C-alpha cells in the first residue's frame, strides 16, 4: 500500500510516516534502518546529535534504493549554529550520510538565550535551500514564542516543526499555530516512548499500557502503538516512530489498513495530561548542551 504523503509549504512531498533513530546506538542503526527500508519506510529522520548519521547512510546505500526514493531528514545541533557555522554542519551531516543533498534540514532546538545565533543558523538554512543543497528547511522544538520571533525575522516559513506529541502530551495550541502558518507538525516520540524510556523517571505511566488505547486497539485487532500512529496520521501529522526491533519496526509501518472513528480520535484527544516528557525546550543552552559534533 502506498504511504500517504504530505505536501510541504514549498511543494516538496514527504512520506507521512517516517522512521526515527533517536537513541538508537550507532552499532544498531544500520540493521534498524535496513529493516525499516525493507518493510517499506521511505523516510528516515536522524540528527547530527544522535551520532548515527554514518550508519543511516550505510543502510541507505546497502538497500539498493535510488537516492530519490528515500526522504532523508536530519538536524543541526546547537553547537553548529551561526551563519558561517551552519553550512559546515550541512557538510558534516551530508558527508556522514554519504549524500550531496538533504530532503529536509532542520534546527534541532531554539536557543532562547542566544536567539540571534538561532536566527543566523536559520538564515544559513535559507541559503542552503536557495543553493539547492537542501529541498526543504524547518525547525524542531520551537514553541509559539520561538516561532513568532523566527517568522518575524526570516524569509522562508519553516516547512516543518518537529515537536514532542503523543496522547499524553498533545500541544494542541502549538499544532494549531503551525497549521495557521502552513507549517507541517511532525511528532517526535509519537507512540510516547518518552513516557517509558529508562532514565526519565520511574513514576511515569506508559502510553502503551493505557486502557483507552488498549480498548481501541482491541476493537481493531491492532496494538496501542499502531493506534497512536493512526491517530497522528488521521489528524494530519507526520510521525517518526523509533524502534530497533524488527517485529516492532514492521508493526509500526503496518498502520495504513485501518481507520479510527471520530469518537475514537476524540477519546485519544482526551488523554492529554499537558505534562511534557522530554526536556523543556527553553532550558537548552549552549553552555550546558553545546557539545561539539565531530567532523566527517
Ligand atoms: P524498541 O526500539 O526496543 O522497539 P517513540 O518513537 O515514541 O519515542 O517510541 C520509541 C520507544 O518505543 C522505544 O523504546 C521502542 O523500543 C519502543 N517501541 C517502538 N515501537 C514499538 C511498538 N510497536 N510496541 C512497543 N514498543 C515499541
Amino acid at each position: 500500500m502506498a504511504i500517504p504523503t504530505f505536501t510541504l509549504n514549498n511543494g516538496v512531498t514527504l512520506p507521512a510516516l517516517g522512521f526515527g533513530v533517536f537513541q538508537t546506538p550507532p552499532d544498531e542503526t544500520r540493521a534498524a534502518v535496513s529493516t525499516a527500508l525493507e518493510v517499506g519506510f521511505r523516510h528516515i529522520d536522524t540528527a547530527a546529535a544522535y551520532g548515527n548519521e554514518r550508519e543511516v547512510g550505510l543502510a541507505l546505500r546497502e538497500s539498493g534504493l535510488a537516492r530519490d526514493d528515500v526522504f532523508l531528514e536530519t538536524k543541526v545541533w546547537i553547537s553548529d549554529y551561526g551563519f558561517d557555522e551552519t553550512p559546515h554542519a550541512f557538510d558534516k551531516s551530508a558527508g556522514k550520510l554519504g549524500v550531496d543533498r538533504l530532503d529536509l534540514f532542520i534546527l534541532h532546538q531554539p536557543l532562547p538565550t542566544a536567539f540571534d545565533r538561532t536566527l543566523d543558523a536559520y538564515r544559513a538554512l535559507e541559503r542552503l535551500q536557495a543553493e539547492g543543497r537542501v529541498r526543504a528547511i524547518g525547525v524542531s522544538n520551537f514553541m509559539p514564542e520561538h516561532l513568532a520571533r523566527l517568522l518575524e525575522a526570516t524569509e522562508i516559513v519553516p516547512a516543518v516543526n518537529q515537536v514532542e506529541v503523543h496522547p499524553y502530551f498533545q500541544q494542541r495550541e502549538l499544532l494549531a499555530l503551525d497549521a495557521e502558518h502552513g507549517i507541517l507538525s511532525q511528532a517526535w516520540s509519537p507512540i510516547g516512548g518518552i513516557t517509558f524510556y529508562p532514565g526519565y523517571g520511574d513514576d511515569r505511566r506508559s502510553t502503551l499500557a493505557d486502557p483507552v488505547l488498549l480498548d481501541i486497539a482491541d476493537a481493531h485487532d491492532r496494538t496501542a502503538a499502531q493506534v497512536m500512529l493512526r491517530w497522528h496520521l488521521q489528524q494530519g501529522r507526520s510521525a517518526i516512530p523509533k524502534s530497533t526491533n524488527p517485529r516492532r519496526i514492521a508493526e509500526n509501518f503496518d498502520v495504513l489498513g485501518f481507520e479510527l472513528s471520530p469518537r475514537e480520535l476524540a477519546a485519544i484527544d482526551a488523554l492529554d495530561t499537558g505534562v511534557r516528557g522530554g526536556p523543556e525546550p527553553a532550558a537548552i543552552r549552549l553552555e550546558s548542551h553545546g557539545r561539539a559534533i565531530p567532523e566527517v
Side-chain angles (χ1 to χ4, degrees):
M1 191 177 298
I3 312 170
T5 56
F6 291 117
T7 301
L8 302 175
N9 59 16
N10 68 350
V12 166
T13 53
L14 161 139
L17 193 62
F19 181 69
V21 292
F22 170 59
Q23 290 200 339
T24 301
D27 62 345
E28 294 176 43
T29 301
R30 189 171 169 183
V33 173
S34 295
T35 305
L37 295 171
E38 269 163 36
V39 306
F41 281 98
R42 290 293 179 269
H43 166 195
I44 312 290
D45 169 72
T46 182
Y50 299 170
N52 55 18
E53 288 173 313
R54 207 179 297 279
E55 290 74 17
V56 169
L58 270 174
L60 271 175
R61 281 193 297 287
E62 282 170 357
S63 73
L65 290 164
R67 172 66 191 90
D68 287 349
D69 288 343
V70 181
F71 191 100
L72 208 47
E73 168 175 4
T74 191
K75 317 184 187 74
V76 188
W77 188 237
I78 55 174
S79 48
D80 284 327
Y81 282 8
F83 193 67
D84 295 324
E85 291 84 349
T86 299
H88 186 55
F90 170 85
D91 294 337
K92 287 194 282 187
S93 284
K96 289 173 192 169
L97 287 160
V99 297
D100 50 20
R101 184 176 41 81
L102 293 170
D103 298 295
L104 178 60
F105 200 31
I106 66 181
L107 300 186
H108 204 140
Q109 299 276 348
L111 269 181
T113 55
F115 207 73
D116 285 347
R117 210 162 163 152
T118 310
L119 292 175
D120 281 344
Y122 192 80
R123 292 184 185 111
L125 295 191
E126 293 180 321
R127 199 174 59 172
L128 286 165
Q129 181 173 305
E131 291 168 351
R133 293 203 279 173
V134 305
R135 294 172 67 223
I137 61 175
V139 295
S140 179
N141 298 311
F142 270 50
M143 298 297 105
E145 63 273 26
H146 311 129
L147 272 183
R149 289 170 76 183
L150 182 81
L151 290 169
E152 198 181 292
T154 59
E155 297 292 322
I156 300 179
V157 176
V160 163
N161 187 14
Q162 184 185 121
V163 294
E164 177 181 347
V165 189
H166 47 76
Y168 288 172
F169 189 58
Q170 300 187 18
Q171 308 213 67
R172 271 201 285 272
E173 271 175 36
L174 175 62
L175 302 185
L177 190 69
D178 284 348
E180 194 181 306
H181 290 285
I183 302 168
L184 177 70
S185 302
Q186 185 172 56
W188 66 251
S189 227
I191 62 169
I194 196 80
T195 65
F196 53 87
Y197 278 146
Y200 281 84
D202 297 331
D203 55 343
R204 301 196 161 197
R205 279 194 306 140
S206 162
T207 45
L208 290 175
D210 186 278
V212 171
L213 292 172
L214 289 173
D215 273 356
I216 297 172
D218 267 358
H220 292 272
D221 202 14
R222 295 284 180 157
T223 66
Q226 290 176 314
V227 165
M228 288 187 263
L229 293 172
R230 274 285 348 142
W231 171 71
H232 288 294
L233 297 183
Q234 286 183 223
Q235 293 189 339
R237 279 185 297 283
S238 163
I240 45 161
K242 171 266 170 189
S243 180
T244 51
N245 174 293
R247 188 183 52 77
R248 292 194 283 271
I249 294 171
E251 177 184 319
N252 295 345
F253 188 70
D254 181 20
V255 295
L256 305 175
F258 73 109
E259 189 85 12
L260 300 174
S261 70
R263 219 160 55 91
E264 289 168 330
L265 293 172
I268 303 173
D269 286 349
L271 297 177
D272 193 14
T273 64
V275 178
R276 188 185 292 284
E280 179 59 49
I284 304 293
R285 290 189 164 63
L286 212 42
E287 300 72 25
S288 45
H289 297 79
R291 67 191 168 76
I293 299 298
E295 297 297 323
V296 176

